[in-house]
Amino acid sequence: MFQSKLFLRLFFTYILVIASYMILCISFLFYENNQINEIQEKRISEIQLDAVGNTMEQRIATAQNIVQNLSYSTTMKQLYISERTGEQLDSYALFSIQSEMKSALITGNRSIYQIVLFVDGSNKAYSGGGVIALTDSYVPLGESLPYVLVDTVGNAFQIDGTKRYSFNTEYLLYCDAYSYQNGSDIGTMCIMFDLKRLGNDLKDVLEEGYSARIRYLEEDIFCQGEMEGEVCVRESDLMPGLFYEIYVPENMGAEVNRYFYFTLLGIVVISAVFLALAYAVSRRYYMPIDHLEQMVSSGQDSCSDEMEKIIRGIQDLIGEKNEYREKMLTITPYARTGMLHSMIAGNLAKESVNIFLDENYLDLIKPYYIVSVVNFAFDGKPCLKEEEYRRKTEELFHTITEMFSTDEIHIVYYFRDSYNVFLITNFETEQRGDDLFYQIHKYVSTAAEKDYCHVTMGVDVLRDDIGELKEACGGAFRALDGILTDGRGTVYFLEDMGGKTNHYYFPVNFREKLKHCLLKQDMVEIHKLLFDIYKTNLDIAGSPEMYRALVDEFHLTVIKTLREITELNTVHLNIKKFEGLATLQDIFDYYDAALLSVMDALRDQGRQDDTRLEEDIAEYIDSHYCDADLSMQSLTDRFNVSNKYLSLLCKERFGVTYLQYVQTKRIRKAAELLRDKQLSLTEVGVMCGYTNQLTFRRNFKSVMGVNPSVYQENQES
């Protein structure tokens, strides 16, 4: 056989095609590997940069909140007034200021070491630990506020001769102007962050090999690791001039794609299989020619015998071809019984599909066919019941197969599910037949119009090998992805899906903005965020794969944001991923409504938390009103609320002030104890929380109308 030039030409033609395919695949594999490495490296670098930025941004946001809260504090107003009027503060005012700053320190985060307030022209500084005496009066340094730096407080504020540990230790300093309710500045607020804690936080978020640097006004603030490699930079959203840098090592993307060599080995193996198939196909197609050559070259019989052998051989070949065509027509009963769907899904018993797996059948028959899928989408729920709807749909497609089938065209159908029906259209010749699909779509749409149903068709490319039936069904469904951008109610062809971009737009800071909007209950801003992503990507006119990838990243980012919010609240937040065929607008409308429900859940949880806090405070007062240490200050420290909040709570809940309520509770308890003849007035007063007997007698008479001694005598008599 290898001596035949015809066989060698046929065989080496296949070898050339296989070699070209192998070279093309390997080249594409190398290119794709480099692309994946670059994209993955860029994505990891962006994540690292966001993590470093968030670590520092949390500290800046905490510091800004502390400065704002103290500037608007009514307690700190006393300090502002004393500095303006020149009056000295009494001990109680100093204690209140110290408590206010200590409370601000506690409500910050654990990385804050201390808060110090320097007042212009004063030789005192104020902190949560008390008043700090300075050797000289404080003079503003002339720096533009706010600003950040790493230094000791002594060096930063030019304080000489201080031996305080906190003033001689390096911290990350955030400095801002102190002014009461946006009045004129009277001092500088300095918030000291622990450098070791900052370094540990950066080390926790940085991957191995990455380095980070924080700069403010072109000066280095903090560095983590060695500053080598490609640099990625981002400016702070909270503080202009503050930049975060990430240094990416040059070899970070080298091992991103771990399956490169497995894929390369797969290409080689597939090429070897194709080479074996090339030999089998060449041999098979050469056999009829070899058979004719043998018949002609036999030369032993008469001429008429030779002609009879040739004619008989040609008849055998024609009969063989017709036999395969008859096998192709037997797809119809398989489609009607559902066996064709099982063959495509790969879950039909092997002995049941031998006819489809027969080597001769798959190799020699070359029918032209196109697979299309008809999708039904209702406005709301279907009007018909499931059984009636299925029966009506089967009748419709039975009519279609009879109406549109001809001698040259043969159509069969089967149901993938209740809302998706496959049509397999066989052509005698190599023709596309686009008009046929538009006619079928128009007929189905007209029949389903009164049921408020949208009919959309996805059409695969023309194929000539029944062995690709499963891939053809997948291609028909991929064509339906045109619904994403162009909507329902038309026909989409798979070949029209190519040539579009795969790079979508997604904001880098979307996660922080979404979290901020959810916590602030700002639904209008959420509408704007989602519309920006939707409109920008719609204008790109990308491929369906691009929009699927966009939706995947959007959903993942939303879930991560909700997990962060869940850590700050007791309510569990989650949004299910949107599934099924839909337009891009439908998908974003779904997430818009889902985020609205999340905000409602957060709002309800906030109300529940407030109600629970009020119940806890009232229960605590009722349980401890006889404690001598009970006071509004102890309650504010315990429940982390303000005096004003406690006063309003008592007014709304008890109808009286806090002092009136506690005084009444204590005196009524004292009256109950005075009925016991074994207890003295002093013992009763102490048991009811009074350390001063004069106060006890005065309050008792105010509530009961008589002195406690008179009340006790009346009880004895």
Side-chain angles (χ1 to χ4, degrees), residues 54-74:
N54 291 339
T55 301
M56 189 64 181
E57 293 285 271
Q58 290 175 357
R59 288 168 166 79
I60 298 297
T62 300
Q64 291 177 347
N65 288 335
I66 290 175
V67 172
Q68 183 178 11
N69 292 338
L70 291 178
S71 295
Y72 279 85
S73 169
T74 55

Side-chain angles (χ1 to χ4, degrees), residues 638-658:
R638 181 179 184 84
F639 294 99
N640 195 25
V641 294
S642 65
N643 291 345
K644 184 177 180 181
Y645 178 87
L646 282 175
S647 299
L648 292 175
L649 172 62
C650 291
K651 278 286 189 181
E652 293 177 359
R653 192 175 186 88
F654 307 127
V656 293
T657 65
Y658 162 77

Side-chain angles (χ1 to χ4, degrees), residues 85-122:
T85 60
E87 297 179 0
Q88 294 293 325
L89 292 171
D90 57 24
S91 59
Y92 179 78
L94 290 174
F95 174 77
S96 300
I97 292 171
Q98 177 183 348
S99 299
E100 186 76 12
M101 298 186 71
K102 185 185 298 183
S103 177
L105 178 63
I106 294 174
T107 56
N109 57 54
R110 291 177 296 172
S111 60
I112 299 179
Y113 177 80
Q114 187 58 273
I115 304 171
V116 182
L117 172 60
F118 295 94
V119 181
D120 297 346
S122 174

Side-chain angles (χ1 to χ4, degrees), residues 116-346:
V116 182
L117 172 60
F118 295 94
V119 181
D120 297 346
S122 174
N123 60 353
K124 296 179 181 178
Y126 303 88
S127 71
V131 179
I132 303 169
L134 305 177
T135 55
D136 298 314
S137 298
Y138 172 72
V139 178
L141 301 180
E143 296 284 346
S144 178
L145 297 174
Y147 67 93
V148 294
L149 75 162
V150 173
D151 203 346
T152 65
V153 175
N155 290 337
F157 291 85
Q158 299 179 5
I159 300 174
D160 299 326
T162 180
K163 295 183 180 180
R164 285 184 170 269
Y165 172 81
S166 58
F167 278 25
N168 293 286
T169 304
E170 279 196 343
Y171 295 96
L172 173 65
L173 305 180
Y174 175 87
C175 302
D176 203 349
Y178 167 70
S179 58
Y180 178 70
Q181 296 185 354
N182 293 331
S184 57
D185 298 341
I186 66 164
T188 304
M189 191 82 69
C190 178
I191 300 173
M192 305 153 64
F193 291 93
D194 189 354
L195 282 177
K196 184 177 180 182
R197 180 68 180 273
L198 176 61
N200 291 336
D201 289 349
L202 291 178
K203 188 182 299 182
D204 291 339
V205 300
L206 286 173
E207 297 283 349
E208 183 178 357
Y210 283 85
S211 302
R213 179 167 64 179
I214 302 174
R215 294 186 296 108
Y216 180 67
L217 300 179
E218 304 302 324
E219 293 185 7
D220 291 350
I221 297 298
F222 192 86
C223 297
Q224 182 73 27
E226 299 181 0
M227 307 298 108
E228 296 179 357
E230 185 178 354
V231 62
C232 299
V233 183
R234 176 189 138 191
E235 187 176 9
S236 170
D237 296 330
L238 300 176
M239 194 165 184
L242 183 63
F243 290 88
Y244 312 118
E245 297 179 356
I246 288 293
Y247 290 84
V248 185
E250 296 179 355
N251 61 343
M252 286 305 294
E255 298 180 0
V256 172
N257 191 355
R258 298 178 297 174
Y259 302 101
F260 172 79
Y261 293 105
F262 291 101
T263 307
L264 182 61
L265 179 61
I267 293 174
V268 174
V269 172
I270 292 173
S271 300
V273 173
F274 282 170
L275 186 62
L277 290 175
Y279 172 77
V281 172
S282 301
R283 185 175 181 276
R284 179 170 183 80
Y285 279 97
Y286 177 74
M287 287 298 294
I289 300 174
D290 183 55
H291 183 56
L292 290 176
E293 287 179 351
Q294 291 177 4
M295 288 191 295
V296 174
S297 63
S298 59
Q300 301 299 327
D301 300 328
S302 61
C303 180
S304 59
D305 293 337
E306 280 186 301
M307 287 303 298
E308 288 179 1
K309 290 181 179 180
I310 293 173
I311 291 172
R312 190 162 50 249
I314 293 174
Q315 288 176 341
D316 291 339
L317 290 175
I318 294 174
E320 198 174 292
K321 182 177 181 182
N322 287 337
E323 181 183 356
Y324 291 128
R325 286 189 176 180
E326 291 173 0
K327 287 183 179 181
M328 183 62 194
L329 295 179
T330 59
I331 285 181
T332 301
Y334 283 97
R336 290 176 180 172
T337 58
M339 293 178 65
L340 187 60
H341 179 73
S342 298
M343 186 194 78
I344 294 172

